[in-house]
Amino acid sequence: MTALSTRARVAIAAAVTVLLAAVAVGYIQQALGEAATADTVPAAEITLDPGPRLLVVTDRRAATVSRADPSGPRLVSGLECVRVYAAAGTGVCIHPDTAWSYQLTVLDRQLRATRTFAVPGLPNRARVSASGRMVAWTTFVGGDSYSTGGFSTRTGILDTRTGTMVSTLEDFAVTREGRPYRNVDVNFWGVTFTADDNAFYATMATGGKRYLVRGDFAARTVRTLTDNVECPSLSPDGTRIAFKQAIGGDPQRGWRLSVLDLSTLAVTNLAEPESVDDQAAWLDEHTVAYTLRAPDGTPTIWSVPADGTGAPTKLLDGAESPAALG
């Protein structure tokens, strides 16, 4: 298998160092109150009930805004989160525990915690299945002996109904290109669930390649479908996947936001010209939302048609991690 080049290892290590520093600074600023917002309201005034609203993170707080007028007033809770998602009245919030550790909290409709547990590393992705039953998360972690770049990912899944938790998908049996496969460098990230709350899609990386995999939670298996698919997001009708595609197969060149037709594996590039390093969220059958960052790190949520037509539309300044509540 092809090892990472020296250039790639250096670039990845540098990126992680910057990310660690940014998270630490952001946490300290928050602790000092520098990110406090004047329109913060009690969490009891915000619900995750299905409706025409978006759940987002703004100034490191869970917030909701109207989908009809996302630039209008936003309700900002006192709940600190660096990543959120919600569906069918179940939410997930990944938040700092200390300056260097994080916890994941499962939320009910009133943003009350129903379960909290530690997650390793730096938060990266979070998802809830359409029924609200299944929760998934991805973090960046360091210290794995196989990680030549100095970090790897750790992805877990929780069944909120039974309490069954898989702390890492790396324990699942892998079928790659039709054959059983094992390698110490296997990594997963970016889970998205199907309607049956058992099957899921995710990205698997190994041997210098990134694959779209379909997993079976009960059977503890995954199998590859195609390559160069990262951070998949399944459409509401279950027929398409929005994802970020490494330009020319090289993540160092950036990512193109695209949509994959699962029946044909045909790829449609979307109208967003910027590099999108995010797991897109479907707002409806025809539109996806995602976060872009300014050079200073300030996030903005945008949307774009899912069929490759049209143009990007700015939805919300100073916000990230969008999830459509209904």
Side-chain angles (χ1 to χ4, degrees), residues 221-258:
T221 61
V222 300
R223 59 182 176 87
T224 60
L225 299 178
T226 188
D227 62 2
N228 198 16
V229 173
E230 296 188 58
C231 298
S233 181
L234 187 64
S235 62
D237 64 6
T239 65
R240 295 156 293 156
I241 282 180
F243 69 101
K244 63 176 193 175
Q245 177 180 207
I247 297 172
D250 181 3
Q252 294 189 66
R253 295 176 58 188
W255 292 275
R256 183 69 185 268
L257 187 61
S258 305

Side-chain angles (χ1 to χ4, degrees), residues 2-181:
T2 303
L4 285 173
S5 67
T6 301
R7 177 188 175 198
R9 291 197 298 268
V10 171
I12 292 172
V16 172
T17 301
V18 171
L19 180 61
L20 286 167
V23 169
V25 170
Y27 182 89
I28 293 169
Q29 289 178 337
Q30 179 65 41
L32 294 174
E34 294 179 10
T37 57
D39 54 351
T40 299
V41 299
E45 295 186 24
I46 298 178
T47 75
L48 300 180
D49 290 324
R53 292 167 295 125
L54 291 177
L55 174 69
V56 301
V57 170
T58 184
D59 288 333
R60 296 173 64 91
R61 303 289 177 183
T64 58
V65 297
S66 166
R67 281 189 54 188
D69 184 19
S71 62
R74 67 183 78 173
L75 293 178
V76 183
S77 78
L79 185 64
E80 182 178 14
C81 305
V82 297
R83 196 80 185 181
V84 296
Y85 202 81
T90 297
V92 59
C93 164
I94 304 180
H95 56 91
D97 181 32
T98 70
W100 300 105
S101 63
Y102 289 82
Q103 294 181 327
L104 183 147
T105 294
V106 180
L107 306 169
D108 68 9
R109 292 174 181 269
Q110 283 73 45
L111 273 74
R112 295 175 302 205
T114 62
R115 180 164 181 170
T116 297
F117 51 89
V119 291
L122 300 174
N124 181 250
R125 307 288 182 234
R127 273 299 189 267
V128 178
S129 67
S131 71
R133 174 176 174 175
M134 309 297 288
V135 169
W137 61 94
T138 297
T139 58
F140 285 119
V141 297
D144 289 336
S145 60
Y146 59 80
S147 177
T148 56
F151 82 100
S152 60
T153 57
R154 192 69 45 78
T155 294
I157 297 177
L158 169 68
D159 183 335
T160 64
R161 183 179 301 172
T162 66
T164 301
M165 182 189 293
V166 171
S167 60
T168 175
L169 296 185
E170 293 168 28
D171 295 332
F172 280 31
V174 176
T175 298
R176 187 183 73 157
E177 298 174 351
R179 297 182 178 181
Y181 178 81

